[in-house]
């Protein structure tokens, strides 16, 4: 940064005008693109203001400040020094008259004027310097401290930055530290010492408290001005108010830290949700292995009964991180029947999976106690009515008797099981039943279906596709392939292939049961 009076810094010639014009054009294009991005981040139809959105907004504001400054500086560079700048007056320079300002802008060049001002989105000045909020002139000033005469010269802009009356004069190097934060005073002292004693350029920041108690962050850059003998005659510096820039940077930093913290929380919650779900559900892949029945007196299919061959699978959501309260389950009951159930709670995360675990435990307990599916649904509804965290639940619960090949089942606002037989499929006729938790005292009917050897039952949570009805229709079109499959495991693979790429907002479960005996 050349001083106007430094003997070892010759005047710098103006850069090629076309090069600067090209840079100004590029800045204008960047600024226009940034405005479009900023409008997108400002649009928030849902009223949400989460950490990611705040971080994006802060980044845009920071980029705006940087591009605005770049446009203004390029404008000054393009216009060059004005004709009445003190540096053009050699006699004034030799006489030691301090410049009014250390930059072209401070010397009277309108900040934001010309192409640079238009590039930065500012108002073009037609006469005099702009001093409005956000202009370069309101944020940059210059000063010179003469060591030989103790004269202090401040530009008008520096008085405005410090909120100081020009009639009171500029602060001396002895007075300046009293305006600076105590913890920042060593920074200022070190810079001044390096400049005056060691002849080094200075570059650093400190905070000042003005008389009106406004705190400003000041960036000071300067250098010693040498006399004819090579000694330090004075210290010259440009001081810039960077408070707004630092606030933008701090907003970006804080919002980024908040976002990272929320991401860590989300990862932890997802891990807990996955662990809770896997702890209570049967294996995710392959056949569901039912107990042998040794633990229940008289358990197991009666002689000649048609048992079930089972397989199940969970298809993840589109994002893969929305672990919900969906479940599938199969359990051999003490009387030899088999419990089949699928369902899902509203919501996602640990709360949903913990609620699912509670409900699944209740379903299993009541089924083991011999409660029929219709009555079981009614009691689940009562349980949700007194729950500390009420939610809505859709579910299907059935009990299959292998001795009679009869399925007794009930549903609560959930898609009916699909029955596939001899190359065709159809949904079972649903008994009455509303979502669990929707209304207290709701009654749930139950239906009965007699199955044949080789029949295939498909139970799903309704979220295989965006619309539950669409999932049902698409499953029915798979009837020829499903009934021709050799095992429920192969059926699960067929369903997974058909719905694997479907965009889902939540996980989806499918449970497939085949009646043992003759058939496909």
């Amino acid at each position: 940064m050349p001083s106007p009076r430094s003997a070892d810094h010759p005047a710098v010639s103006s850069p090629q005008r076309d090069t600067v014009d090209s840079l100004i054009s590029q800045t204008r294009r960047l600024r226009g693109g940034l405005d479009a991005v900023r409008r997108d981040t400002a649009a928030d139809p849902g009223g949400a203001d989460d950490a990611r959105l705040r971080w994006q907004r802060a980044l845009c504001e920071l980029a705006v400040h940087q591009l605005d400054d770049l446009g203004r500086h390029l404008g000054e560079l393009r216009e060059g020094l004005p004709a009445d700048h003190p540096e053009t007056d050699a006699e004034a320079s030799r006489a030691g008259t301090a410049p009014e300002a250390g930059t072209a802008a401070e010397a009277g060049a309108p900040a934001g004027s010309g192409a640079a001002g238009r590039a930065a989105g500012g108002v073009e000045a037609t006469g005099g310097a702009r001093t409005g909020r956000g202009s370069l002139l309101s944020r940059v000033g210059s000063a010179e401290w003469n060591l030989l005469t103790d004269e202090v010269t401040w530009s008008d802009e520096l008085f405005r930055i410090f909120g100081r009356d020009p009639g009171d004069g500029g602060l001396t190097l002895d007075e300046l530290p009293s305006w600076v934060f105590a913890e920042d005073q060593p920074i200022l002292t070190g810079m001044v010492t390096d400049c005056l004693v060691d002849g080094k350029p200075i570059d650093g920041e400190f905070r000042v408290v003005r008389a009106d108690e406004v705190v400003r962050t000041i960036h000071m850059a300067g250098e010693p001005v040498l006399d004819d003998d090579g000694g330090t005659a004075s210290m010259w510096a440009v001081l810039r108010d960077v408070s707004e820039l630092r606030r933008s940077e701090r907003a970006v930093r804080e919002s980024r830290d908040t976002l990272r913290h929320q991401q860590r929380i989300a990862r932890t919650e997802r891990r807990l949700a996955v662990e809770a779900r896997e702890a209570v559900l049967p294996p995710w892949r392959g056949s569901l292995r039912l107990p042998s029945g040794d633990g229940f007196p008289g358990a197991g299919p009666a002689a000649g009964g048609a048992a079930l061959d089972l397989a199940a699978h969970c298809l993840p959501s589109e994002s893969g991180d929305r672990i919900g309260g969906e479940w599938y389950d199969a359990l051999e009951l003490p009387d030899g029947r088999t419990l089949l159930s699928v369902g899902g709670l509203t919501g996602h995360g640990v709360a949903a999976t913990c609620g699912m675990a509670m409900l699944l435990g209740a379903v299993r307990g009541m089924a083991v106690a011999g409660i029929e599916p219709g009555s079981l649904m009614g009691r689940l509804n009562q349980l949700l009515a007194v729950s500390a965290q009420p939610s809505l639940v859709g579910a299907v619960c059935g009990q299959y008797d292998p001795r009679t090949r009869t399925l007794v089942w009930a549903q609560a606002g959930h898609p009916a099981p699909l029955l596939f037989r001899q190359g065709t499929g159809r949904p079972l006729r649903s008994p009455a039943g509303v979502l669990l938790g929707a209304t207290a005292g709701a009654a749930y009917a139950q239906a009965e279906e007699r199955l044949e050897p080789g029949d295939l039952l498909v139970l799903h949570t309704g979220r295989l596709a965006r619309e539950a009805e669409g999932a049902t229709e698409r499953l029915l079109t798979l009837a020829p392939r499903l009934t021709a499959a050799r095992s429920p495991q192969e059926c699960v693979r067929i369903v997974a292939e058909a719905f694997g790429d479907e965009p889902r907002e939540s996980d989806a479960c499918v449970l497939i049961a085949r009646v043992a005996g003759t058939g496909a």
Side-chain angles (χ1 to χ4, degrees):
M1 181 187 311
S3 164
R5 297 174 45 198
S6 180
D8 56 350
H9 284 88
V12 179
S13 60
S14 298
Q16 292 294 326
R17 195 178 186 87
D18 56 349
T19 302
V20 178
D21 284 341
S22 176
L23 291 174
I24 289 174
S25 298
Q26 294 179 46
T27 303
R28 184 186 301 116
R29 288 193 296 270
L30 286 173
R31 185 62 162 80
L34 180 59
D35 282 339
V37 173
R38 187 163 57 159
R39 285 192 296 270
D40 291 341
T41 59
D44 186 18
D49 192 23
D50 59 12
R52 181 180 295 277
L53 189 58
R54 291 195 298 272
W55 173 67
Q56 291 172 344
R57 289 173 178 167
L59 280 178
C60 284
E61 293 301 323
L62 178 59
V64 165
H65 292 312
Q66 300 283 18
L67 277 179
D68 284 351
D69 283 349
L70 176 61
R72 295 181 185 112
H73 292 322
L74 288 175
E76 296 164 9
L77 192 62
R78 180 180 183 274
E79 298 299 330
L81 296 175
D84 59 347
H85 192 278
E87 186 171 288
T88 63
D89 189 346
E91 183 176 354
S93 179
R94 288 192 299 272
T97 304
E100 179 64 18
T103 67
E106 296 160 50
S113 64
R118 290 188 295 272
V123 178
E124 182 172 347
T126 57
R130 286 195 303 122
T131 58
R133 183 183 182 275
S135 70
L136 183 66
L137 294 181
S138 66
R139 293 181 295 166
V140 178
S142 65
E144 185 169 0
W145 292 272
N146 193 308
L147 303 183
L148 303 179
T149 63
D150 291 331
E151 181 183 4
V152 179
T153 306
W154 277 21
S155 69
D156 292 340
E157 291 76 23
L158 191 55
F159 280 107
R160 284 194 288 270
I161 291 173
F162 275 75
R164 186 173 174 84
D165 188 344
D168 296 334
L171 297 172
T172 67
L173 291 178
D174 291 332
E175 295 171 331
L176 185 58
S178 65
W179 286 57
V180 178
F181 269 48
E183 55 265 39
D184 293 350
Q185 289 178 3
I187 299 175
L188 176 63
T189 301
M191 288 193 298
V192 173
T193 301
D194 288 344
C195 182
L196 300 183
V197 176
D198 300 328
K200 297 179 180 179
I202 57 175
D203 193 333
E205 287 185 12
F206 50 86
R207 292 164 295 168
V208 300
V209 182
R210 306 190 329 181
D212 56 5
E213 298 185 354
V214 174
V215 176
R216 311 304 294 175
T217 301
I218 306 299
H219 178 268
M220 184 166 73
E223 58 188 10
V225 179
L226 307 180
D227 58 21
D228 294 339
D229 298 328
T232 302
S234 63
M235 186 179 80
W236 175 85
V238 170
L239 295 92
R240 182 182 182 195
D241 183 351
V242 294
S243 306
E244 193 171 333
L245 177 62
R246 296 297 173 254
R247 278 196 296 270
S248 296
E249 292 174 339
R250 185 167 59 252
V252 171
R253 184 170 57 254
E254 291 174 353
S255 58
R256 182 181 60 240
D257 292 343
T258 300
L259 177 59
R260 288 175 176 171
H261 178 64
Q262 291 183 349
Q263 288 173 336
R264 286 195 294 270
I265 293 176
R267 287 194 296 268
T268 301
E269 288 184 347
R270 184 184 187 282
R271 177 178 55 82
L272 293 175
V274 170
E275 291 177 353
R277 187 169 66 176
E278 291 183 348
V280 296
L281 295 190
W284 291 110
R285 296 182 181 275
S287 298
L288 297 176
R289 303 297 182 183
L290 296 178
S292 64
D294 294 341
F296 301 129
L308 294 178
D309 187 10
L310 301 165
H313 185 63
C314 179
L315 284 76
S317 64
E318 183 178 17
S319 64
D321 57 0
R322 295 176 64 83
I323 306 299
E326 288 74 30
W327 83 82
Y328 64 81
D329 191 32
L331 178 69
E332 191 174 19
L333 301 177
D335 59 3
R337 293 186 297 172
T338 300
L339 169 70
L340 302 175
S341 70
V342 297
L345 285 75
T346 54
H348 301 86
V350 176
T353 54
C354 289
M356 175 270 292
M358 177 197 71
L359 282 178
L360 188 52
V363 170
R364 289 173 173 174
M366 286 188 281
V368 167
I371 298 176
E372 293 290 316
S375 299
L376 187 152
M377 287 292 191
R379 298 186 185 187
L380 279 181
N381 190 55
Q382 294 174 350
L383 177 64
L384 285 172
V386 298
S387 174
Q389 295 182 337
S391 59
L392 297 177
V393 180
V396 165
C397 180
Q399 295 175 3
Y400 171 74
D401 190 337
R403 290 159 292 206
T404 61
R405 298 196 306 274
T406 301
L407 175 71
V408 179
W409 67 286
Q411 63 84 29
H414 198 277
L418 303 181
L419 174 60
F420 294 88
R421 179 183 296 168
Q422 297 179 355
T424 62
R426 62 177 176 88
L428 300 183
R429 186 172 180 179
S430 295
V434 298
L435 284 171
L436 299 173
T439 179
Y444 294 86
Q446 64 184 34
E448 183 175 313
E449 187 77 23
R450 177 154 177 109
L451 304 180
E452 300 295 334
D455 280 355
L456 196 72
L457 280 176
V458 175
L459 288 73
H460 63 95
T461 55
R463 295 182 178 178
L464 290 170
R466 287 190 180 275
E467 301 294 336
E469 294 79 5
T472 296
E473 294 300 323
R474 288 172 59 182
L475 283 169
L476 291 176
T477 63
L478 299 176
R481 296 178 60 191
L482 293 177
T483 55
R486 292 180 297 239
S487 66
Q489 292 79 12
E490 185 176 342
C491 293
V492 163
R493 287 193 292 271
I494 293 172
V495 173
E497 291 173 0
F499 292 89
D501 296 330
E502 181 74 19
R504 283 178 294 274
E505 296 183 358
S506 184
D507 294 346
C509 296
V510 59
L511 171 64
I512 297 180
R514 170 167 282 172
V515 180
T518 61

